[in-house]
Amino acid sequence: MDNIGNVQNADAAIINRYTGEVRVLRAYYYSRLAMLYGDVPLVTTTLSLPESKAVTREPVSNVWDFISKELTEAAAQLPNAYTAATDKGRVTKATAFAVKARAMLHAGRFQEAADAASLVMAMPEYGLYPTYKSLSRQRQKAIKKLFSMFSS
């Protein structure tokens, strides 16, 4: 991410969106590390070899703070949804908030989790199945998928 400013002849809006996508993925992987190991090294810049030898673990509360801030800022860089078929499966604003909701649940920050989940539920592009019966139907398509990789 340190070198994103070195990209030449690129559309600033696309670079901004890609940066948001990368930030969501970075926060997601840090949330997995924090859930599994607690205190972990928190590296957000490129390190030289001598610097990498001096990296220490960061308290897990600081890691959760980073994850929360990273996902909130990333969501501001992402669209609510994509319309082009070639963009299917890309990270959206709802993805960022859904990842934040789950991460904050694991962190024990229940109000932050509820607030993030509420932001996703308030988006008109997303919703829940109207009944449990409709959920179990084999061929029924989801109203929207937050992190879809394949089409049905």
Side-chain angles (χ1 to χ4, degrees):
M1 296 251 310
D2 289 344
N3 293 316
I4 195 75
N6 297 338
V7 176
Q8 306 215 350
N9 302 326
D11 182 6
I14 291 176
I15 295 296
N16 188 47
R17 186 182 81 199
Y18 288 167
T19 302
E21 291 177 7
V22 168
R23 293 176 83 179
V24 169
L25 292 173
R26 177 170 64 177
Y28 169 77
Y29 288 114
Y30 266 111
S31 73
R32 301 296 299 164
L33 289 170
M35 283 186 271
L36 292 170
Y37 304 109
D39 297 353
V40 295
L42 183 59
V43 179
T44 59
T45 59
T46 304
L47 300 176
S48 67
L49 186 57
E51 290 172 328
S52 68
K53 293 177 182 178
V55 172
T56 60
R57 290 179 166 206
E58 191 74 25
V60 72
S61 62
N62 293 355
V63 177
W64 290 123
D65 290 342
F66 168 78
I67 291 165
S68 178
K69 182 175 183 266
E70 188 79 347
L71 289 167
T72 300
E73 291 175 2
Q77 296 175 288
L78 297 167
N80 283 356
Y82 294 96
T83 55
T86 56
D87 288 328
K88 186 174 182 74
R90 294 199 81 94
V91 177
T92 64
K93 186 178 299 243
T95 307
F97 287 130
V99 170
K100 182 177 180 177
R102 175 156 299 215
M104 294 301 101
L105 280 174
H106 286 285
R109 298 178 180 187
F110 303 117
Q111 190 56 55
E112 278 188 77
D115 293 345
S118 294
L119 290 169
V120 176
M121 292 186 293
M123 293 180 183
E125 297 90 1
Y126 303 94
L128 299 174
Y129 283 100
T131 65
Y132 183 77
K133 183 179 178 181
S134 67
L135 177 63
S136 64
R137 292 186 186 146
Q138 288 288 332
R139 298 200 177 257
Q140 173 124 14
K141 289 187 178 179
I143 294 172
K144 277 284 183 173
K145 299 174 186 173
L146 293 176
F147 219 168
S148 67
M149 300 304 280
F150 306 103
S151 62
S152 51

